Amino acid sequence: MPTVKVNDLTMNYEQQGNGEPLILIPYLAADYACYAFQVAEYSKYFTCISLDPRGAGETDKPEGVYSTQLFADDVAGFMEALNIPRAHVAGLSLGAAVGMWLAAKYPSRVTSLSLHSAWPRTDAFLESVVQGWQLMVKAGGSVTDLIILGIFPWCLTPELYAATPDYVKGLAEFVRSRPAQPPDAFLRQSNAVLAHDVESQLERITAPTLITFGQRDQLTSTRFADRIKNRIRDSELWIFEECAHAAMYERVEEFNHRTLAFLRRHAA
């Protein structure tokens, strides 16, 4: 896999496809491969550049305080190192939090912004859940087990578990096949989630923005929808019915169709 030096990091990434650049930012504890189901379609129209963020995958995992703003600075540096002046930017959950900071702080670099399961500022409910995950990692020592047993149930509906157990098992096997995140790196990344607050910066986002939520998501529920949409002037909202936090895995075809339509509409 290619790597590039960005500030104090060596960052790992994957590039596929042709067309305008589309940068895909992973969620908490994930590496570039988490967008495999999307890249298969997106790369027919865009140059998909999926990266491993600070603390995950094969990218460096330095000590220190991580923040969603720091992750955005990393992505801006990544774009500069690869000579990408502007790109479409997409992210789910933590990736969406980073995308908001990137588009607010570096507006000239973002052609369009896709925010999936985003939130403007961590509230008491989200804080409680993430602190529970941290406790599980400290007690069990395995981030992989935490993802499968502790995080999956927040991301997928009970009906998906019941109707397609082999599919859920396949997702778990996929997680086990990826580079395991060290517990200390997970704690630094999740501390960034706990401290996330981009709400006062949202008015600075000028890129056309797609905002999506799962109808049955509890983590980043539609309680955040108006708080984001009302502050990003050129934005549109879509709710995926009967989905939890990860519509991109629960309704792959629908998710890809809806999000790709937005991306193609805002391509040159």
Side-chain angles (χ1 to χ4, degrees):
M1 299 301 298
T3 61
V4 64
K5 191 71 175 177
V6 180
N7 301 323
D8 61 333
L9 296 174
T10 297
M11 294 186 69
N12 184 62
Y13 68 98
E14 181 189 59
Q15 182 171 316
Q16 293 185 46
N18 296 287
E20 295 178 28
L22 166 60
I23 293 179
L24 299 163
I25 308 173
Y27 45 83
L28 177 64
D31 68 1
Y32 75 86
C34 69
Y35 289 106
F37 292 165
Q38 283 64 56
V39 168
E41 290 299 316
Y42 292 173
S43 62
K44 296 175 183 177
Y45 306 95
F46 295 90
T47 300
C48 295
I49 305 163
S50 314
L51 56 86
D52 289 353
R54 177 184 297 257
E58 300 292 350
T59 287
D60 290 344
K61 304 165 184 65
E63 296 183 0
V65 177
Y66 292 10
S67 70
T68 50
Q69 184 174 178
L70 176 61
F71 287 135
D73 292 339
D74 289 341
V75 177
F78 174 84
M79 293 175 67
E80 185 172 350
L82 292 183
N83 194 27
I84 302 171
R86 285 172 63 83
H88 302 272
V89 174
L92 171 80
S93 198
L94 174 59
V98 176
M100 287 187 284
W101 265 114
L102 182 71
K105 196 171 180 181
Y106 306 94
S108 65
R109 289 197 171 276
V110 180
T111 305
S112 77
L113 181 63
S114 298
L115 304 174
H116 309 301
S117 302
W119 79 105
R121 184 176 67 230
T122 299
D123 63 7
F125 179 80
L126 188 53
E127 179 180 350
S128 179
V129 174
V130 174
Q131 287 177 340
W133 294 344
Q134 292 184 329
L135 190 64
M136 292 171 71
V137 163
K138 291 174 183 177
S142 169
V143 177
T144 299
D145 287 342
L146 164 72
I147 294 168
I148 295 167
L149 299 175
I151 297 181
F152 268 22
W154 289 96
C155 295
L156 310 172
T157 60
E159 289 80 7
L160 190 74
Y161 277 83
T164 58
D166 288 343
Y167 177 69
V168 175
K169 182 180 178 181
L171 291 176
E173 291 172 350
F174 175 75
V175 171
R176 293 194 185 283
S177 75
R178 305 307 305 159
Q181 185 179 42
D184 62 327
F186 174 83
L187 294 174
R188 287 192 288 272
Q189 278 201 332
S190 55
N191 280 336
V193 171
L194 293 173
H196 174 64
D197 183 359
V198 73
E199 195 150 24
S200 66
Q201 305 298 311
L202 294 180
E203 287 84 357
R204 297 176 59 189
I205 296 175
T206 58
T209 301
L210 173 65
I211 303 162
T212 78
F213 290 94
Q215 179 196 37
R216 294 175 57 189
D217 188 2
Q218 295 185 75
L219 283 174
T220 57
S221 73
T222 53
R223 71 187 184 278
F224 295 126
D226 287 343
R227 285 170 56 184
I228 299 175
K229 188 177 188 309
N230 292 344
R231 288 173 170 82
I232 301 177
R233 64 180 72 97
D234 186 7
S235 62
E236 56 191 84
L237 175 66
W238 183 261
I239 308 297
F240 289 100
E241 302 293 327
E242 299 304 316
C243 288
H245 191 62
M248 70 183 212
Y249 298 138
E250 295 177 282
R251 299 280 184 84
V252 176
E253 186 175 345
E254 180 186 356
F255 182 90
N256 290 351
H257 174 77
R258 178 68 54 178
T259 58
L260 190 54
F262 169 82
L263 288 165
R264 295 185 67 189
R265 196 163 71 244
H266 293 285

Short mmCIF file of all heavy atoms in Angstrom, two decimals, residues 11-42:
data_model
loop_
_atom_site.label_atom_id
_atom_site.label_comp_id
_atom_site.label_asym_id
_atom_site.label_seq_id
_atom_site.Cartn_x
_atom_site.Cartn_y
_atom_site.Cartn_z
N MET A 11 1.36 8.31 6.69
CA MET A 11 -0.03 7.91 6.51
C MET A 11 -0.17 6.89 5.39
O MET A 11 0.43 7.04 4.32
CB MET A 11 -0.91 9.13 6.23
CG MET A 11 -1.01 10.09 7.40
SD MET A 11 -2.19 11.45 7.12
CE MET A 11 -3.75 10.55 7.14
N ASN A 12 -0.95 5.87 5.64
CA ASN A 12 -1.24 4.82 4.69
C ASN A 12 -2.55 5.13 3.96
O ASN A 12 -3.48 5.68 4.55
CB ASN A 12 -1.37 3.49 5.44
CG ASN A 12 -1.58 2.31 4.51
OD1 ASN A 12 -0.73 2.00 3.69
ND2 ASN A 12 -2.72 1.65 4.65
N TYR A 13 -2.63 4.78 2.68
CA TYR A 13 -3.87 5.03 1.95
C TYR A 13 -4.00 4.06 0.78
O TYR A 13 -3.05 3.36 0.41
CB TYR A 13 -3.92 6.47 1.45
CG TYR A 13 -2.92 6.83 0.37
CD1 TYR A 13 -3.26 6.85 -0.98
CD2 TYR A 13 -1.60 7.17 0.70
CE1 TYR A 13 -2.34 7.18 -1.96
CE2 TYR A 13 -0.68 7.50 -0.27
CZ TYR A 13 -1.04 7.51 -1.60
OH TYR A 13 -0.13 7.83 -2.58
N GLU A 14 -5.19 4.05 0.19
CA GLU A 14 -5.44 3.27 -1.01
C GLU A 14 -6.10 4.18 -2.04
O GLU A 14 -6.93 5.03 -1.67
CB GLU A 14 -6.37 2.09 -0.72
CG GLU A 14 -6.66 1.23 -1.94
CD GLU A 14 -7.75 0.21 -1.68
OE1 GLU A 14 -8.87 0.61 -1.31
OE2 GLU A 14 -7.49 -0.98 -1.86
N GLN A 15 -5.76 4.01 -3.30
CA GLN A 15 -6.35 4.82 -4.37
C GLN A 15 -6.86 3.92 -5.47
O GLN A 15 -6.17 3.02 -5.94
CB GLN A 15 -5.30 5.79 -4.92
CG GLN A 15 -5.81 6.70 -6.01
CD GLN A 15 -4.82 7.80 -6.37
OE1 GLN A 15 -4.21 8.42 -5.50
NE2 GLN A 15 -4.64 8.03 -7.66
N GLN A 16 -8.12 4.16 -5.88
CA GLN A 16 -8.75 3.38 -6.94
C GLN A 16 -9.62 4.28 -7.80
O GLN A 16 -10.19 5.25 -7.31
CB GLN A 16 -9.66 2.28 -6.37
CG GLN A 16 -8.96 1.17 -5.64
CD GLN A 16 -9.95 0.08 -5.22
OE1 GLN A 16 -10.77 -0.35 -6.02
NE2 GLN A 16 -9.85 -0.35 -3.98
N GLY A 17 -9.73 3.95 -9.08
CA GLY A 17 -10.67 4.62 -9.95
C GLY A 17 -10.09 5.79 -10.71
O GLY A 17 -8.89 6.08 -10.63
N ASN A 18 -10.97 6.48 -11.44
CA ASN A 18 -10.59 7.63 -12.23
C ASN A 18 -11.64 8.72 -12.06
O ASN A 18 -12.79 8.45 -11.73
CB ASN A 18 -10.50 7.25 -13.72
CG ASN A 18 -9.39 6.24 -13.97
OD1 ASN A 18 -8.22 6.58 -13.92
ND2 ASN A 18 -9.77 5.00 -14.25
N GLY A 19 -11.22 9.95 -12.31
CA GLY A 19 -12.13 11.08 -12.17
C GLY A 19 -11.70 12.02 -11.07
O GLY A 19 -10.56 11.96 -10.58
N GLU A 20 -12.59 12.91 -10.68
CA GLU A 20 -12.27 13.86 -9.61
C GLU A 20 -11.96 13.12 -8.32
O GLU A 20 -12.55 12.07 -8.04
CB GLU A 20 -13.45 14.82 -9.40
CG GLU A 20 -13.73 15.71 -10.58
CD GLU A 20 -14.94 16.62 -10.35
OE1 GLU A 20 -15.23 16.95 -9.18
OE2 GLU A 20 -15.60 16.98 -11.34
N PRO A 21 -11.04 13.66 -7.51
CA PRO A 21 -10.69 12.97 -6.27
C PRO A 21 -11.82 13.00 -5.24
O PRO A 21 -12.50 14.01 -5.07
CB PRO A 21 -9.47 13.75 -5.76
CG PRO A 21 -9.55 15.08 -6.42
CD PRO A 21 -10.22 14.87 -7.74
N LEU A 22 -12.00 11.86 -4.59
CA LEU A 22 -12.97 11.69 -3.51
C LEU A 22 -12.22 11.09 -2.33
O LEU A 22 -11.74 9.95 -2.41
CB LEU A 22 -14.12 10.78 -3.95
CG LEU A 22 -15.04 10.24 -2.86
CD1 LEU A 22 -15.73 11.36 -2.10
CD2 LEU A 22 -16.07 9.28 -3.47
N ILE A 23 -12.13 11.85 -1.24
CA ILE A 23 -11.41 11.38 -0.05
C ILE A 23 -12.41 10.79 0.93
O ILE A 23 -13.40 11.44 1.30
CB ILE A 23 -10.60 12.52 0.58
CG1 ILE A 23 -9.47 12.92 -0.37
CG2 ILE A 23 -10.04 12.10 1.94
CD1 ILE A 23 -8.61 14.05 0.12
N LEU A 24 -12.16 9.56 1.36
CA LEU A 24 -13.04 8.84 2.27
C LEU A 24 -12.34 8.71 3.62
O LEU A 24 -11.25 8.12 3.72
CB LEU A 24 -13.35 7.46 1.70
CG LEU A 24 -14.08 7.49 0.34
CD1 LEU A 24 -14.00 6.13 -0.34
CD2 LEU A 24 -15.53 7.90 0.53
N ILE A 25 -12.96 9.27 4.66
CA ILE A 25 -12.38 9.31 6.00
C ILE A 25 -13.07 8.27 6.88
O ILE A 25 -14.29 8.32 7.06
CB ILE A 25 -12.53 10.71 6.62
CG1 ILE A 25 -11.99 11.79 5.66
CG2 ILE A 25 -11.80 10.78 7.96
CD1 ILE A 25 -12.25 13.21 6.13
N PRO A 26 -12.33 7.32 7.44
CA PRO A 26 -12.95 6.25 8.22
C PRO A 26 -13.55 6.71 9.56
O PRO A 26 -13.29 7.81 10.05
CB PRO A 26 -11.78 5.28 8.47
CG PRO A 26 -10.82 5.56 7.38
CD PRO A 26 -10.91 7.05 7.17
N TYR A 27 -14.32 5.81 10.13
CA TYR A 27 -14.93 6.03 11.44
C TYR A 27 -14.00 5.53 12.55
O TYR A 27 -12.88 5.05 12.28
CB TYR A 27 -16.30 5.35 11.51
CG TYR A 27 -16.34 3.94 10.96
CD1 TYR A 27 -15.94 2.86 11.74
CD2 TYR A 27 -16.75 3.70 9.65
CE1 TYR A 27 -15.97 1.57 11.24
CE2 TYR A 27 -16.78 2.42 9.14
CZ TYR A 27 -16.39 1.35 9.94
OH TYR A 27 -16.41 0.08 9.43
N LEU A 28 -14.44 5.62 13.77
CA LEU A 28 -13.64 5.24 14.93
C LEU A 28 -13.11 3.81 14.82
O LEU A 28 -13.88 2.88 14.55
CB LEU A 28 -14.50 5.38 16.19
CG LEU A 28 -13.87 4.98 17.53
CD1 LEU A 28 -12.69 5.87 17.87
CD2 LEU A 28 -14.92 5.02 18.65
N ALA A 29 -11.80 3.66 14.99
CA ALA A 29 -11.11 2.37 15.04
C ALA A 29 -10.95 1.70 13.68
O ALA A 29 -10.38 0.61 13.60
CB ALA A 29 -11.80 1.39 16.01
N ALA A 30 -11.43 2.33 12.62
CA ALA A 30 -11.41 1.69 11.30
C ALA A 30 -10.25 2.19 10.44
O ALA A 30 -9.72 3.28 10.64
CB ALA A 30 -12.73 1.96 10.57
N ASP A 31 -9.90 1.36 9.44
CA ASP A 31 -8.90 1.75 8.47
C ASP A 31 -9.57 2.00 7.11
O ASP A 31 -10.80 1.96 7.00
CB ASP A 31 -7.78 0.72 8.38
CG ASP A 31 -8.23 -0.62 7.78
OD1 ASP A 31 -9.42 -0.76 7.42
OD2 ASP A 31 -7.38 -1.53 7.68
N TYR A 32 -8.76 2.24 6.09
CA TYR A 32 -9.28 2.64 4.77
C TYR A 32 -10.26 1.62 4.20
O TYR A 32 -11.17 1.97 3.45
CB TYR A 32 -8.11 2.82 3.80
CG TYR A 32 -7.50 1.51 3.33
CD1 TYR A 32 -8.02 0.83 2.23
CD2 TYR A 32 -6.42 0.93 4.00
CE1 TYR A 32 -7.49 -0.38 1.81
CE2 TYR A 32 -5.90 -0.28 3.59
CZ TYR A 32 -6.43 -0.93 2.50
OH TYR A 32 -5.93 -2.14 2.09
N ALA A 33 -10.11 0.34 4.55
CA ALA A 33 -10.90 -0.72 3.92
C ALA A 33 -12.36 -0.70 4.34
O ALA A 33 -13.19 -1.41 3.76
CB ALA A 33 -10.30 -2.09 4.23
N CYS A 34 -12.71 0.13 5.32
CA CYS A 34 -14.10 0.16 5.80
C CYS A 34 -15.07 0.63 4.72
O CYS A 34 -16.27 0.40 4.82
CB CYS A 34 -14.23 1.02 7.06
SG CYS A 34 -13.99 2.79 6.80
N TYR A 35 -14.56 1.28 3.67
CA TYR A 35 -15.42 1.77 2.59
C TYR A 35 -15.41 0.84 1.37
O TYR A 35 -15.76 1.27 0.27
CB TYR A 35 -15.00 3.17 2.18
CG TYR A 35 -15.33 4.23 3.20
CD1 TYR A 35 -14.33 4.80 3.98
CD2 TYR A 35 -16.65 4.64 3.40
CE1 TYR A 35 -14.63 5.77 4.93
CE2 TYR A 35 -16.96 5.60 4.36
CZ TYR A 35 -15.94 6.16 5.12
OH TYR A 35 -16.25 7.11 6.07
N ALA A 36 -15.05 -0.41 1.57
CA ALA A 36 -14.93 -1.33 0.43
C ALA A 36 -16.22 -1.44 -0.37
O ALA A 36 -16.19 -1.48 -1.61
CB ALA A 36 -14.50 -2.72 0.93
N PHE A 37 -17.37 -1.47 0.31
CA PHE A 37 -18.64 -1.61 -0.40
C PHE A 37 -18.99 -0.35 -1.19
O PHE A 37 -19.75 -0.41 -2.15
CB PHE A 37 -19.78 -1.89 0.58
CG PHE A 37 -19.71 -3.24 1.25
CD1 PHE A 37 -20.47 -3.50 2.37
CD2 PHE A 37 -18.89 -4.24 0.77
CE1 PHE A 37 -20.42 -4.74 3.01
CE2 PHE A 37 -18.83 -5.48 1.40
CZ PHE A 37 -19.60 -5.73 2.51
N GLN A 38 -18.45 0.79 -0.79
CA GLN A 38 -18.71 2.04 -1.50
C GLN A 38 -17.71 2.26 -2.64
O GLN A 38 -18.10 2.67 -3.74
CB GLN A 38 -18.67 3.22 -0.52
CG GLN A 38 -19.90 3.35 0.35
CD GLN A 38 -20.10 2.16 1.29
OE1 GLN A 38 -19.21 1.83 2.07
NE2 GLN A 38 -21.27 1.53 1.21
N VAL A 39 -16.46 1.97 -2.38
CA VAL A 39 -15.42 2.21 -3.39
C VAL A 39 -15.71 1.40 -4.66
O VAL A 39 -15.44 1.87 -5.77
CB VAL A 39 -14.03 1.87 -2.82
CG1 VAL A 39 -12.97 1.83 -3.93
CG2 VAL A 39 -13.63 2.91 -1.77
N ALA A 40 -16.29 0.23 -4.51
CA ALA A 40 -16.62 -0.59 -5.67
C ALA A 40 -17.51 0.16 -6.65
O ALA A 40 -17.38 -0.01 -7.87
CB ALA A 40 -17.31 -1.88 -5.22
N GLU A 41 -18.40 1.02 -6.15
CA GLU A 41 -19.28 1.81 -7.02
C GLU A 41 -18.71 3.20 -7.29
O GLU A 41 -18.71 3.67 -8.43
CB GLU A 41 -20.67 1.94 -6.37
CG GLU A 41 -21.45 0.64 -6.36
CD GLU A 41 -21.70 0.09 -7.75
OE1 GLU A 41 -22.07 0.89 -8.64
OE2 GLU A 41 -21.51 -1.12 -7.96
N TYR A 42 -18.23 3.86 -6.24
CA TYR A 42 -17.73 5.23 -6.40
C TYR A 42 -16.58 5.31 -7.39
O TYR A 42 -16.45 6.30 -8.12
CB TYR A 42 -17.24 5.77 -5.05
CG TYR A 42 -18.27 6.02 -3.99
CD1 TYR A 42 -17.88 6.37 -2.70
CD2 TYR A 42 -19.65 5.92 -4.23
CE1 TYR A 42 -18.80 6.61 -1.70
CE2 TYR A 42 -20.58 6.16 -3.24
CZ TYR A 42 -20.14 6.51 -1.97
OH TYR A 42 -21.05 6.75 -0.96
#
